[in-house]
Amino acid sequence: MYCRKCGKELSEEDRYCSLCGTETRGTHWEEVTVAADDLIGKVKGLIAEGNVRRIVVRNEKDELLLEIPVTAVAIGAVISPYLAALGVITALATRATIHVERRD
């Protein structure tokens, strides 16, 4: 689980982020591992679902590759630069883990 404001990794028991103080309730995180070839399609699908707040992409070494804040306003042209960056990431990684923050 990660803080929705600052991205710090948290335990499931944490009610508040120890770094920034943001409350952790109201959202939950899911983790999906995909091949780099499927990364862009999976992210587009997640954005289309509508209940996603943030998407964090990490490589096989758990290094942060990209973080995408997803809001109702962040559709279309706002998301396009992120998708272009994902295209570059697919050339650098063989597998990626997508951490998805969803509203409860």
Side-chain angles (χ1 to χ4, degrees):
M1 185 164 105
Y2 298 88
C3 174
R4 68 176 176 257
K5 184 174 180 184
C6 70
K8 181 183 183 325
E9 189 167 1
L10 306 169
S11 71
E12 292 294 327
E13 295 81 34
D14 289 338
R15 188 160 180 218
Y16 296 93
C17 174
S18 60
L19 186 63
C20 70
T22 300
E23 187 173 13
T24 61
R25 305 293 182 223
T27 62
H28 66 278
W29 286 86
E30 296 175 8
E31 187 174 300
V32 180
T33 302
V34 296
D37 298 343
D38 301 330
L39 184 59
I40 294 175
K42 183 64 177 176
V43 169
K44 283 182 178 180
L46 290 168
I47 292 169
E49 289 178 18
N51 67 338
V52 175
R53 295 186 64 153
R54 182 187 324 211
I55 298 171
V56 178
V57 180
R58 296 183 177 271
N59 66 10
E60 306 88 18
K61 298 176 186 174
D62 204 34
E63 299 169 330
L64 178 66
L65 299 176
L66 185 65
E67 183 173 345
I68 305 170
V70 181
T71 65
V73 178
I75 304 298
V78 176
I79 295 296
S80 295
Y82 290 107
L83 296 178
L86 279 176
V88 173
I89 288 170
T90 59
L92 301 174
T94 56
R95 297 200 66 69
T97 303
I98 304 172
H99 301 271
V100 183
E101 180 184 14
R102 295 182 183 273
R103 289 185 290 276
D104 287 335

